[in-house]
Amino acid sequence: MAASLLSASTRTVVRQRHALIAPDGHVASNLPGWKESRCVVLVSAAMGAHFSQFLVEMSGKGEGRGATGPRECFIYLVSGSVELTLGASNGKNLLRTGGYVFLPPNTTWHVSAAGGAQLLIFEKTYEPQEGVDLPGVFIWREQEVPGAAFLGDPDAMLQVLLPDRPEFDLAVNIFRYKPGARLPFVETHIMEHGLLMLGGEGIYRLEEQWYPVQAGDAIWMAPYCPQWFAATGKTPAAYIYYKDINRPVLPV
Ligand code: UGY
Ligand code: MN
C-alpha cells in the first residue's frame, strides 16, 4: 500500500543545540559487534554531541560484543533480559528490565538476549583525572535505587543510578514525574544531556521551542541548552538521562 501524505510529517527536529528524535524516524545502522540486533544511533558526534546514545533492539538470538578501550559505556535494559559476560570470565550476570551495567575503560564485554531485549546505551571517552582511580564495573537495577524528591518536590522523584564519586565522570539518572509535576525552573547549565522518555508524556522546552514528548522519544541537549519539562498526561511520566559531571571546566 502506498504511504499516505502524512508520511511527510514528523515530530523530529535536529537543531544546532538540541534535537528531538521521535521513533517514526528511526533508521537502523550496522554497528560492529552486534548480531541479530537493530541498532539506532539517537545521539552522536555527527550532531555535535560529546557522547553517543544508542537504542538496540535484540532479537531472541541477538548478541553484542565490544571492548571499551579509552571509552566508558552504560547499558540499561529498557525491556527484556540479557546475559552479560565480562572479560575472559565464565561468570554470567543476568540483567532484566531496569537492570544496568557501567563498563569502565579497558573492559571487554558480551551480551546475549535470551528472549529479546531493548537496550539503551550511553558511550563516551573517559576523562582521567590525576590522583583519581579509574572507576570499576558497576552492576545494579533501578528497582533498588531509592528516589529523592527533586529540590523538595515529592511529585518529581530523582533516582541517581551511579555512585557520585570523583572517579565517575558521568551520571545516569531516572526522573519520575506525577501528572502535573514539572521542573521548578528553566535549567541552563554546562552539562550536556542525552535522554530517553521511558513512559508517559509531557512538554519539553528546549531553548525557545516547546515540544510535546512521549515514551520512546529521545532528546539531545547541548551544554547551556535552556531546558524545562512538565508532565502533562494522565499517567506519570519518566525519563532516563545522561549528564557529564565531576571534571574541571578547562580540561587539564
Ligand atoms: O540533572 C539535571 O540537570 C536535570 N534536572 N535536567 C533535566 O531533567 N533536564
Ligand atoms: Mn538538566
Side-chain angles (χ1 to χ4, degrees):
M1 201 176 75
S4 85
L5 255 189
L6 285 180
S7 65
S9 69
T10 180
R11 291 182 298 109
T12 295
V13 291
V14 180
R15 304 209 171 210
Q16 229 170 348
R17 312 280 309 148
H18 72 258
L20 165 63
I21 309 287
D24 57 26
H26 287 181
V27 173
S29 300
N30 275 330
L31 296 183
W34 293 95
K35 286 186 198 156
E36 303 267 348
S37 302
R38 193 171 174 272
C39 305
V40 178
V41 183
L42 298 167
V43 176
S44 72
M47 63 173 42
H50 301 87
F51 69 98
S52 311
Q53 178 177 333
F54 312 92
L55 206 54
V56 181
E57 202 84 53
M58 302 177 79
S59 76
K61 292 186 196 147
E63 260 189 87
R65 68 176 69 245
T68 52
R71 291 178 294 278
E72 59 197 333
C73 184
F74 181 97
I75 303 177
Y76 172 81
L77 263 284
V78 179
S79 62
S81 60
V82 293
E83 272 185 353
L84 164 75
T85 316
L86 296 172
S89 99
N90 288 325
K92 290 194 191 313
N93 300 276
L94 183 65
L95 300 182
R96 296 197 176 89
T97 303
Y100 58 91
V101 58
F102 169 82
L103 300 165
N106 309 317
T107 308
T108 51
W109 56 274
H110 175 265
V111 284
S112 59
Q118 192 182 40
L119 313 183
L120 173 69
I121 303 183
F122 296 109
E123 198 176 30
K124 88 171 201 30
T125 302
Y126 181 71
E127 278 181 66
Q129 209 188 341
E130 215 177 301
V132 175
D133 291 338
L134 277 183
V137 171
F138 190 88
I139 303 176
W140 201 222
R141 33 200 203 108
E142 56 120 320
Q143 292 86 346
E144 305 289 337
V145 179
F150 185 66
L151 299 179
D153 181 357
D155 292 342
M157 296 295 283
L158 189 68
Q159 290 165 282
V160 176
L161 303 187
L162 290 174
D164 184 8
R165 291 202 303 260
E167 59 265 36
F168 287 89
D169 69 352
L170 63 80
V172 179
N173 305 333
I174 296 180
F175 231 133
R176 295 184 188 281
Y177 297 81
K178 292 216 177 114
R182 57 198 78 127
L183 281 176
F185 59 94
V186 179
E187 295 182 3
T188 308
H189 51 64
I190 188 170
M191 297 81 80
E192 194 176 13
H193 288 321
L195 175 159
L196 180 72
M197 289 294 297
L198 294 174
E201 57 185 54
I203 300 288
Y204 233 106
R205 175 188 167 149
L206 302 169
E207 300 183 88
E208 282 74 49
Q209 276 77 44
W210 304 69
Y211 300 103
V213 293
Q214 63 188 22
D217 289 348
I219 295 176
W220 168 59
M221 297 173 231
Y224 295 109
C225 169
Q227 57 201 253
W228 179 87
F229 176 75
T232 53
K234 289 185 173 177
T235 56
Y239 56 75
I240 182 169
Y241 68 102
Y242 153 93
K243 174 175 186 172
D244 50 306
I245 55 166
N246 289 338
R247 286 300 176 268
V249 174
L250 284 177
V252 273

